[in-house]
Amino acid sequence: MKYLLRYREILLVVIIAVLLAAFSTRSPGFARPANLSNIFNDTSILIILALGQMAVILTKSIDLSVAANVAFTGMAVAMLNAAYPGLPLIVILAAALGIGAVLGALNGILVWKLNIPSIVVTLGTLTIYRGMAFVLSGGGWVNAHQMTEPFLQTPRQIFLGLPLLGWTAILIVAAMYLVMSRTLLGRAIYASGGNPAAAVYAGIDVGRTRFLAFTISGTLAGLCGYLWVSRYAVAYVDIAAGFELDSVAACVIGGISTLGGIGSVAGAVLGSLFLGVIKNALPVINISPFSQMAISGAVIIAAVVFNARQERRRGRIILRDRGASEQIEGVT
């Protein structure tokens, strides 16, 4: 048990397995491969958003504008597709990634150059981006009949038993794992949140690293803007409402510390899957929407308490020892 408590990822795998077994007693088909594939597909957008949020939280920041980014980018690419139906899908994807990256970079610049707390910046841009989506669309909707078949159907194409939407999430997970564990940027992200002073001593530009983390988050949110609109075949101002909190919740449940420097890609993915299982299972067992919200809130609070207890121990904070040793050498 101590081993499970120490490694959040293993504990989450066990909890998810127990939940699947428990819900299967009420709904026998719940744990069937086809349904599990549907749950993963339903959770794919949240997984991608949570990975972007993870990069920001690891730098001891937060991005509350991700869902608004999804809304604006989704509306923009839907209107682009409706206005220019002959435009290749690759161009629309590039536009989605570019718009998302610009919105994320704007957050990063405000945090980096003006030294404004990230929660203040992204709370403001959350409203701004939603307002931009309203101004762009005039409050109207873009419906399925206005979009082209390639735009709508590409993420739904089945490959090896899983829609391309799910495979996109898998590719993003693999890419983020490589970035966070095998690149200088990944190490800088952990260091900037874990011990900013030591990171500076090691030659890391903490402000620039946070800027890049916000840009990553924005880029992934832009991708989710297209994926959301194509999956649900509609674009409107309030799409993805509340998903900024879901992305934070997935990270917290996955063991990513809001104090920065501690967490993993696997944790963010498993936290998202945990929420996905809960949200898919509660309606099946006739739990009311209000009770679902209460249960989700209780789970988040429990995860925060658990994280606080775990952070008393030695966490994964890169360069802490190096920074401490350099400070000792400076004193002597």
Side-chain angles (χ1 to χ4, degrees):
M1 178 59 68
K2 289 183 178 179
Y3 183 83
L4 290 179
L5 292 176
R6 183 178 179 185
Y7 294 98
R8 173 65 67 88
E9 293 85 354
I10 298 175
L11 179 62
L12 275 173
V13 170
V14 172
I15 292 175
I16 291 172
V18 170
L19 287 175
L20 290 174
F23 291 133
S24 295
T25 61
R26 295 289 300 273
S27 177
F30 190 79
R32 290 176 182 172
N35 190 58
L36 295 180
S37 175
N38 289 334
I39 291 175
F40 180 79
N41 197 55
D42 290 341
T43 314
S44 293
I45 292 177
L46 177 58
I47 290 173
I48 297 172
L49 283 179
L51 290 172
Q53 188 73 255
M54 174 201 70
V56 174
I57 291 177
L58 284 174
T59 65
K60 202 181 292 188
S61 302
I62 193 169
D63 188 355
L64 297 179
S65 69
V66 287
N69 190 329
V70 171
F72 177 76
T73 305
M75 179 62 74
V77 296
M79 293 180 66
L80 182 65
N81 178 248
Y84 303 98
L87 208 59
L89 182 59
I90 188 67
V91 175
I92 293 177
L93 279 173
L97 293 171
I99 293 170
V102 169
L103 298 183
L106 177 60
N107 290 332
I109 288 174
L110 293 174
V111 172
W112 177 20
K113 295 298 185 180
L114 300 183
N115 202 29
I116 305 174
S118 60
I119 191 171
V120 176
V121 168
T122 57
L123 191 60
T125 54
L126 179 158
T127 306
I128 292 171
Y129 298 163
R130 288 281 181 190
M132 288 167 54
F134 181 85
V135 171
L136 181 66
S137 64
W141 291 31
V142 181
N143 297 306
H145 69 272
Q146 298 172 266
M147 306 178 201
T148 63
E149 284 298 306
F151 182 92
L152 291 174
Q153 297 300 327
T154 298
R156 305 180 189 188
Q157 296 297 317
I158 304 296
F159 178 71
L160 296 178
L162 188 68
L164 288 181
L165 172 59
W167 285 111
T168 301
I170 291 173
L171 290 175
I172 297 298
V173 169
M176 286 298 293
Y177 173 78
L178 291 175
V179 169
M180 299 307 298
S181 63
R182 296 289 186 270
T183 67
L184 292 176
L185 175 59
R187 297 186 182 95
I189 286 174
Y190 275 107
S192 297
N195 195 326
V200 171
Y201 291 149
I204 296 171
D205 189 330
V206 173
R208 181 175 176 273
T209 301
R210 286 177 178 156
F211 165 78
L212 292 174
F214 276 103
T215 303
I216 291 172
S217 178
T219 303
L220 294 181
L223 173 62
C224 289
Y226 162 68
L227 295 175
W228 185 290
V229 171
S230 64
R231 173 165 174 72
Y232 297 105
V234 64
Y236 55 98
V237 174
D238 290 330
I239 64 174
F243 252 61
E244 60 276 341
L245 300 182
D246 284 349
S247 67
V248 174
C251 291
V252 171
I253 292 170
I256 296 165
S257 173
T258 54
L259 299 179
I262 300 174
S264 68
V265 169
V269 173
L270 290 170
S272 301
L273 289 175
F274 177 86
L275 289 178
V277 169
I278 291 291
K279 290 187 176 185
N280 277 271
L282 294 182
V284 172
I285 58 177
N286 297 321
I287 301 295
S288 72
F290 299 104
S291 297
Q292 292 176 35
M293 294 172 62
I295 292 171
S296 298
V299 169
I300 294 169
I301 292 173
V304 171
V305 172
F306 186 87
N307 285 350
R309 291 176 62 86
Q310 291 298 100
E311 286 163 15
R312 295 175 186 174
R313 305 175 184 178
R314 180 181 177 84
R316 183 184 178 187
I317 302 181
I318 297 176
L319 297 181
R320 170 189 280 172
D321 292 339
R322 179 174 177 178
S325 63
E326 288 185 0
Q327 289 178 353
I328 293 173
E329 290 176 1
V331 172
T332 56

